[in-house]
Structure formats: C-alpha cells, structure tokens
Amino acid sequence: VSTTSSLDAVAAGDALPTCTYRVTRADLVRYAGASGDFNPIHWSDRVAGSVGLPGVIAHGMYTMALAARACSTWAGSPDRVREIGCKFTKPVVVPDDDEGVEIVVAGTVKNLTEDGVHVALEVTCGGEKVLGMPKAVLARA
Amino acid sequence: VTREKVREFARATGSDGSEGPGGPGGADSEVPPTFPIVVAFTAMSELMAAPGVGIELHRVIHGDQRFTYTRPVRVGDRLTATLSVDSLRQLGGADIIGTRTEITDERGAPVCTAFATLVHRGPEEQ
C-alpha cells in the first residue's frame, strides 16, 4: 500500500503539519452511539452540571480519536499507528450551538527508532492544552 | 468487527477515509486506531456493573488512555477483551483504578493492549 506520508524524510525536531477539527454536540451524540459510551455528561447539561462541570464535555476518547486521526494522516494510514497515549487533563466543553469548538492537533518528531517515529503531540482547544503528554509511535511505510 | 460498526465509528470522528486507501468500511477497510475502545469500554462497563463494585458511570473521569498495537484491527475480526485491574489507590476521596485490557482475536492471538486509568469520585465529594 503506497500512500502519502509526512514521515518519509523527517528528523528529530521537525514539526508535522497541524490538523484542525471541529466538534459539535451532534458529533458527541454520534460518538456515544458508535463507542457505546452513553455517559450523560457528554450529552446532558443537567447531569454535567450536577457533577461540577461547566457544561457538556467531549468524551476524552473523542479528543484522543482526533489525535489518532492526525497521526493517521501524518503516517499515511491508521495501520501505521503503533502506539498512542495521553492523559485527559482539561475537559473540552462543547456548546449547544452549530459552531461547536475547534481542536488543533500539532506534532513534533522527538526521535527515530526501529519501532518508528516517536511523535510528541500538542492538542489544544481555544489555545489551551486539553491532553497531557499525548504521544505516539508511527511506523514508516 | 463489522464493516458498518467501523464506518459508524469513523464517521463519528470524521475519519472519512481521507487518511488512507479504501475508506472506512471499504474493501480494504482501515480501522481508526482508537476503535478498540469499543470492546475495551464494554469490558470497563462490566467491571463497573459488577456486584459490589459500586461505580457510577457519571461519576467516572477517564484519567488516561494508551493503546499499543501488535497488529491493526480488521473488519471481520472477532475480538475478545480481558480486563485486569492493575492498580487501585485512593486520593482525596477518589478511587483511582488502573486497568489493562488485553484484546485478542478469534485465534487467541494478541491484537492490542488498552491501558486506562479511571477516577471515580463519590457523591460525598460534591
């Protein structure tokens, strides 16, 4: 399988192309159904408020899925993602409107090993980091 | 792992196939990397629902998540998730539960491992 990869000629310190994704309430409802995670904090302002949240928040796994999507784009295929992990440090509040919020996924090459390209990600919403130490290992073609 | 389930998951996260050939659910379907959470979450839900465990989903915060892949998930796989509680500690009235879910295929061969930390806050903390 030959696809475009951003990793063919990278070196430590290189920045990967930043990816921007929009998230709306409708996406969270779709994701709840697709993932099976029907936790009401991801669709009910009432329940979110009752546990001290400012409003409905995105599933942490939704934000992580977007990080993984950026990694898939960089690597040229989701099959080349060998490892991905993060902490969920700041909730992504998704307003009940048509615009939603933007998630920005940036990546920097940390080092190259026989496992692949080790990437440090930075995932932000409104300029603030929402994932803690997100990182991935991406195989080269 | 059905084609339609993969397509549903991929569409929910906007992974419309532009990342790879074939597209989600296509003939040479590629599965989004975090798709294994579908089976891992089922295992976590069974842990939460187990008698005597006493975890309420809306009081659970997902602390962290990591996947390591032996091979990509494929449409047609029959996956089994086996969850272990690796660590358990209390911090500020919250239970911090470290879990590891081994995901294997129909032959018992490893596909991926999902590590998750779940933080459960009791109602008295509100």
Side-chain angles (χ1 to χ4, degrees):
Chain A
V1 177
S2 171
T3 52
T4 311
S5 167
S6 305
L7 305 178
D8 290 339
V10 294
D14 285 358
L16 297 167
T18 296
C19 299
T20 302
Y21 307 111
R22 186 161 289 282
V23 186
T24 67
R25 285 279 176 99
D27 294 319
L28 302 186
V29 172
R30 275 177 177 248
Y31 187 78
S35 69
D37 184 348
F38 291 99
N39 190 333
I41 65 171
H42 305 304
W43 50 266
S44 165
D45 282 306
R46 176 177 53 84
V47 176
S50 78
V51 295
L53 293 166
V56 161
I57 62 168
H59 303 72
M61 286 307 302
Y62 190 95
T63 307
M64 188 180 188
L66 296 179
R69 187 177 158 197
C71 288
S72 304
T73 301
W74 295 329
S77 164
D79 292 358
R80 296 192 189 129
V81 179
R82 292 292 152 82
E83 184 172 339
I84 184 164
C86 64
K87 294 178 193 289
F88 302 104
T89 48
K90 189 174 192 306
V92 173
V93 178
V94 178
D96 183 13
D97 61 24
D98 295 333
E99 285 73 42
V101 291
E102 262 186 2
I103 302 285
V104 178
V105 184
T108 306
V109 175
K110 298 308 285 183
N111 60 317
L112 310 168
T113 69
E114 60 184 21
D115 296 332
V117 180
H118 294 243
V119 177
L121 295 102
E122 186 176 87
V123 181
T124 56
C125 179
E128 292 192 81
K129 289 182 190 178
V130 292
L131 298 182
M133 292 187 291
K135 54 189 174 185
V137 180
L138 309 177
R140 295 217 246 193
Chain B
V1 179
T2 64
R3 182 165 298 181
E4 195 52 41
K5 189 68 195 173
V6 170
R7 188 178 282 151
E8 185 187 4
F9 189 94
R11 282 183 180 158
T13 53
S15 306
D16 58 1
S18 57
E19 285 83 10
D28 47 359
S29 168
E30 293 181 320
V31 178
T34 63
F35 182 82
I37 198 65
V38 175
V39 284
F41 186 80
T42 303
M44 288 179 210
S45 299
E46 290 203 14
L47 168 71
M48 291 184 239
V53 171
I55 298 176
E56 292 180 285
L57 181 60
H58 72 281
R59 300 195 183 283
V60 172
I61 291 168
H62 198 168
D64 62 46
Q65 181 71 46
R66 182 163 63 93
F67 297 95
T68 59
Y69 308 90
T70 308
R71 68 162 174 87
V73 172
R74 293 286 176 219
V75 167
D77 279 340
R78 297 181 69 87
L79 301 178
T80 299
T82 306
L83 182 144
S84 311
V85 175
D86 274 0
S87 64
L88 184 58
R89 62 196 174 97
Q90 289 195 311
L91 191 68
D95 294 310
I96 301 174
I97 307 155
T99 69
R100 173 172 46 91
T101 303
E102 299 290 354
I103 296 168
T104 53
D105 66 16
E106 61 275 19
R107 294 174 298 119
V111 175
C112 92
T113 306
F115 300 89
T117 303
L118 307 176
V119 181
H120 183 255
R121 294 177 191 279
E124 66 280 4
E125 297 306 309
Q126 301 303 316

